[in-house]
Each structure stands twice: as C-alpha cells, then as structure tokens.
Amino acid sequence: RPQQAPDGSLLLAQPASLDLARETFVIEQDLAQAIHGEQLTMLFQPLVDLDKHCVVGAEALLRWQHPTMGDISPARFIPIVEAIGLSDQFGAWVLNAACREMRRWREAGLHGLRVAVNLSACQLADPKLQEKIERTLARHHLEPQVLELELTETAAMADAGRTLRLFREIHDLGVSLALDDFGSGHSSLIYLKNLPFDKLKIDREFVTAVHERSDSQAICKALIDLARGLGLRVLAEGVECRAEVDMLARLGCTLFQGYYFSRPLTGQAFVAFAGDPTRIPALGPPVLAQLD
Ligand code: C2E
Ligand code: MG
Ligand code: MG
Ligand code: MG
C-alpha cells in the first residue's frame, strides 16, 4: 500500500525525480573509479586580453566521460563529488593535470601564461591545501605566479576567519585568486573588501545580451568600475558574440572568456590557439563607431 502524506496525498516518486535519483546513485558509485580509470580529462578555455591582443592564459575545466552515460557536465557531478567527500582527491587530480599542462605549454615555447583552476568549497577545509599547492607547483617546476585559483562566493564563506588566513597564505605564495561568477548567488561586497582577490569574473548572467539590455549594462559598468577602484583585474565570462564584446570593451573591460573567442580546448589545441594571435578577432573602430 502506498504511503500517505499528512494531507492524504500519495507519496509516490515522480518519474523525473526517480530518474534523477537513480542517475545520482550511479554517478556516486562510479565517481571513485573515474579518477583511476582515465575517464577524467581537462579542457582549457582561452582567457583573452583584447588590449594586448593576446591569450593571457586558460581556465582549466574538468570533463568526465562516463563509460555508459557519456559526457557528464561538471555542473552535475561536482556537487556530488563534494557531497560524498571526494573533493580533495578530485581537487588534487585537477591541480596536477593543470600544472602538468602548463609545463607542456612552456616546453612548446609558450611563456607568460596563467592557468586558472576552480576550487570547490570543500577544498578550503583541507588543512593541507596550501602545502599541496606548493608541492604540485614544485613537482612541475613552476613558479606560483602561473597559477590562479577561482573561487565562488559561496565557497569562500564557510568559516570567514579560516578562509582569510588560508587566502592570505596562498596569496603570499604568489598564487592569484579570482572571485568567480561574481554577481550570482550570495554576493557580498564584504568578501571583496576583506579577502585578497586579484581578479573579479563577471557572471555570464550579466554578459549575455549586454548590448541589448540597459540593466545589464548598468550592472557591468558598476562591476567594472568597482574592480578598478579596488585595484582588481576584471574579466567578462561567457561572451558569445561580437556585440557583447564591443559593449563590454566600451564599459572598460579588457579581459574576456567565451565561445566568441574559443570553446574549451584540449591542451594541444590550446597551444595552437595561444600561439597564433591572428585567431583573436580585432576590435575594429568601425564596429565601435556603429554603437554610437
Ligand atoms: P565556471 O567556473 O564558471 O566555468 C565557466 C563555465 O562556462 C564552463 O562550463 C564553460 O565551459 C562555460 N562557458 C564558457 N564560455 C561560455 C560561453 O560563451 N557560453 C556558455 N553558454 N558557456 C560558456 P563547464 O566547463 O560546464 O563548467 C561548469 C562549472 O563546473 C564551472 O563553472 C565550475 O564551477 C565547475 N567546474 C568545472 N571544472 C571544475 C573543476 O576542475 N573543479 C571544480 N571544483 N569545479 C569545476
Ligand atoms: Mg571558473
Ligand atoms: Mg565562472
Ligand atoms: Mg559561471
């Protein structure tokens, strides 16, 4: 007999939520294998400086090719990684893969690049995080200046005192810190005031169709001015068309990431992209003039 809720309705799982629960269960079961079984890879999405007209680095983005379910998005499986306590293992794998790739770029003759790695909230609780970062950089003979860590606002905030100490230590090593997805979720200017961030990444939410929306323009302008006032670099995430780039450039943004420039690439494809500045479209005066 089906169970009844207090209001008398039947407690039957909806097919959709049942499917989702099953899928979550499968993902949980298979995550531990993923890390050992060569199912994880990293892609690298170029970070473009339009003023200098060059690629200044890449964001490392994790990919999981599941043996039967196909590609699973990190947005789907990272929260499960966190929930089942595998963040430290995955985090270590990602950091090592990103640093190993940076070493390859160096060997391919690409210098002066930075690699940005996403850190999940749970990793901040790891008392050995700083040591692991130092050891991974040393393993690949890299100086801390090549590494940037991306944190979201929610990640930063579990224990403000501890987070501050940790960030200062990491920052003192020479690693830079970026506040990811700024403006989404639980934004607070307090984080920007108190924590040693070097870069602010404007969330795609405000970037999409910014050329057509005066509200997004007002927000982007405020964020760009805020970053400048605080002495931070500012990057617009998820630019998909020329008109968005032109508008953001007019508002004072020079750093960009998004499909307009490039989708996330394999390490090898990234080397080809970063080594060839002609792949970056120029910001021509005619297009800027059209906006006026
Ligand atoms: P994020 O850190 O904000 O990364 C940017 C996301 O936006 C990436 O999605 C990227 O592929 C996507 N993106 C970039 N340009 C465009 C664009 O022009 N249009 C659109 N529609 N999307 C664009 P992805 O790779 O699916 O990653 C999703 C999220 O998963 C990331 O958001 C990050 O929070 C998390 N993530 C990815 N890799 C890692 C990792 O190695 N460790 C941790 N802890 N989290 C990760
Ligand atoms: Mg990120
Ligand atoms: Mg982001
Ligand atoms: Mg985002």
Side-chain angles (χ1 to χ4, degrees):
R1 212 170 89 85
Q3 281 188 303
Q4 285 193 326
D7 68 356
S9 61
L10 295 182
L11 280 179
L12 289 175
Q14 296 297 305
S17 69
L18 191 62
D19 284 353
L20 200 66
R22 265 203 207 105
E23 190 190 80
T24 304
F25 182 75
V26 173
I27 292 176
E28 277 179 24
Q29 299 299 302
D30 295 348
L31 270 172
Q33 266 81 279
I35 205 159
H36 302 295
E38 299 190 349
Q39 297 166 20
L40 298 181
T41 49
M42 300 301 301
L43 294 182
F44 300 88
Q45 189 175 32
L47 309 177
V48 172
D49 185 327
L50 264 195
D51 262 1
K52 298 192 184 125
H53 203 77
C54 67
V55 173
V56 289
E59 177 172 6
L61 295 161
L62 187 58
R63 294 290 177 266
W64 181 18
Q65 170 84 56
H66 188 278
T68 58
M69 292 164 71
D71 288 334
I72 304 178
S73 159
R76 175 83 176 98
F77 71 81
I78 291 286
I80 303 175
V81 167
E82 296 181 354
I84 64 177
L86 289 177
S87 291
D88 291 353
Q89 264 190 60
F90 270 68
W93 189 93
V94 164
L95 188 63
N96 188 61
C99 289
R100 189 178 52 210
E101 193 58 39
M102 172 59 78
R103 173 57 30 217
R104 288 190 190 129
W105 299 343
R106 286 279 176 84
E107 277 150 22
L110 292 172
H111 295 273
L113 296 176
R114 239 191 217 126
V115 67
V117 171
N118 292 284
L119 226 57
S120 80
C122 307
Q123 289 179 264
L124 298 181
D126 177 1
K128 294 227 164 98
L129 180 63
Q130 186 202 342
E131 193 188 313
K132 287 177 183 170
I133 293 169
E134 287 189 80
R135 279 217 313 268
T136 309
L137 286 165
R139 185 180 312 134
H140 298 283
H141 312 289
L142 294 171
E143 58 284 10
Q145 286 70 20
V146 304
L147 181 64
E148 183 157 81
L149 298 175
E150 297 197 1
L151 292 121
T152 57
E153 297 151 278
T154 31
M157 293 322 123
D159 175 347
R162 222 194 86 74
T163 303
L164 177 59
R165 273 195 306 282
L166 178 68
F167 280 23
R168 284 209 178 123
E169 283 167 9
I170 294 174
H171 194 254
D172 287 347
L173 291 177
V175 171
S176 28
L177 297 172
L179 187 51
D180 205 356
D181 303 341
F182 189 70
S184 72
H186 310 271
S187 312
S188 172
L189 297 177
I190 294 192
Y191 307 151
L192 277 186
K193 176 168 176 273
N194 291 341
L195 296 171
F197 285 107
D198 303 282
K199 184 196 271 180
L200 188 157
K201 295 188 80 172
I202 302 176
D203 195 71
R204 188 160 62 86
E205 174 73 26
F206 307 115
V207 166
T208 301
V210 63
H211 55 295
E212 291 169 342
R213 301 198 44 153
S214 57
D215 52 356
S216 297
Q217 282 161 35
I219 291 169
C220 287
K221 180 166 194 320
L223 295 182
I224 292 162
D225 292 346
L226 174 69
R228 188 176 293 146
L230 293 169
L232 306 178
R233 287 172 285 132
V234 60
L235 177 145
E237 295 195 290
V239 287
E240 292 189 357
C241 67
R242 173 66 176 266
E244 289 166 356
V245 174
D246 282 334
M247 176 53 73
L248 289 158
R250 282 212 322 171
L251 297 175
C253 189
T254 60
L255 295 174
F256 297 91
Q257 173 181 3
Y259 296 169
Y260 176 65
F261 293 104
S262 172
R263 296 207 166 231
L265 302 169
T266 62
Q268 211 180 357
F270 175 78
V271 168
F273 188 93
D276 179 6
T278 65
R279 297 224 197 165
I280 303 171
L283 256 200
V287 177
L288 281 174
Q290 277 167 25
L291 284 164
D292 289 316

